[in-house]
């Protein structure tokens, strides 16, 4: 009885909480793994774009060198963006998730994405941390090696 | 209100399970049809591809020139 009351209270608190506004076209919950992966990929790509923009700003104001920017682009951002396009092509070509998943895991393995954190200044490490975490979350979800 | 809060606090050990049950309720929605899912994937992946292309273009523009 008490648990039921507490649950009812919890529900009322949740119901009264301010609602997060979802991005346009983004359903609240997606059960299908292919579609969920498409959204994960979108979030990863958004984080890459944001990191690239932040790195460009850091380069412009002298926080990082052009060489650091070039390293991150060549070893992380470009291979990652290329991988995103490969994964999208796989998703569009396969209606069944197990087949798509197998091909995506292979693509992740073949992509020359490097965790450049150890070889770049802390300013750059902070900027790319979100993208690295997003990539590793995707890889872990698929059962592929993380970086 | 205090009584309700005390009640809630007393049930803290149960909260993770309650939240999990609640989330399960929220996510138990009807599945999309295969056609709708394919259309959604095309829509999302097309937009993601465009973002990835923009990233690649920026990287190419920023690459050191020989």
């Amino acid at each position: 009885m008490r648990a039921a009351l507490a649950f009812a209270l919890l529900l009322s608190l949740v119901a009264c909480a301010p609602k997060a506004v979802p991005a346009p076209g983004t359903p609240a919950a997606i059960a299908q793994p292919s579609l969920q992966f498409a959204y994960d990929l979108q979030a990863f790509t958004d984080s890459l774009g944001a990191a690239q923009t932040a790195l460009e700003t850091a380069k412009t104001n002298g926080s990082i060198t052009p060489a650091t920017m070039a390293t991150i682009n060549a070893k992380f951002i470009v291979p990652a963006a290329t991988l995103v396009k490969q994964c999208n092509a796989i998703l569009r070509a396969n209606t069944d998730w197990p087949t798509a998943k197998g091909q995506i895991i292979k693509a992740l393995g073949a992509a020359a994405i490097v965790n450049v954190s150890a070889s770049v200044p802390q300013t750059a490490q902070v900027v790319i941390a979100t993208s690295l975490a997003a990539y590793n979350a995707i890889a872990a979800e698929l059962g592929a090696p993380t970086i | 209100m205090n009584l309700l809060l005390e009640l809630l606090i007393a049930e803290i050990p149960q909260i993770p399970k309650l939240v999990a049950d609640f989330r399960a309720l929220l996510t138990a929605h009807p599945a999309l049809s295969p056609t709708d899912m394919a259309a959604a994937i095309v829509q999302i992946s097309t937009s993601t591809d465009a973002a990835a292309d923009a990233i690649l273009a920026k990287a190419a523009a920023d690459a050191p020139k020989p």
Side-chain angles (χ1 to χ4, degrees), chain A residues 11 13 22 29 37 45-46 48 55 63 89 102 108 119 128 136 140:
Chain A
L11 284 178
L13 288 175
F37 183 76
T45 309
D46 288 346
L48 278 178
L55 287 167
S63 300
L108 260 68
S119 58
I128 62 173
N136 282 330

Side-chain angles (χ1 to χ4, degrees), chain B residues 8-49:
Chain B
L8 184 59
I9 290 167
E11 296 299 333
I12 280 176
Q14 296 292 326
I15 286 177
K17 184 184 179 305
L18 294 173
V19 171
D21 292 346
F22 185 52
R23 290 187 66 177
L25 276 175
L26 286 178
T27 54
H29 57 83
L32 288 177
S33 74
T35 306
D36 288 345
M37 191 173 74
I41 286 174
V42 167
Q43 184 185 357
I44 299 159
S45 64
T46 301
S47 128
T48 308
D49 269 356

Side-chain angles (χ1 to χ4, degrees), chain A residues 11 32 59 85 88 92, chain B residues 22 32 45 49 53 55 62:
Chain A
L11 284 178
Q32 292 81 359
K59 189 184 82 171
K85 288 172 65 72
N88 276 330
R92 285 193 293 263
Chain B
F22 185 52
L32 288 177
S45 64
D49 269 356
D53 282 336
I55 289 168
D62 197 63

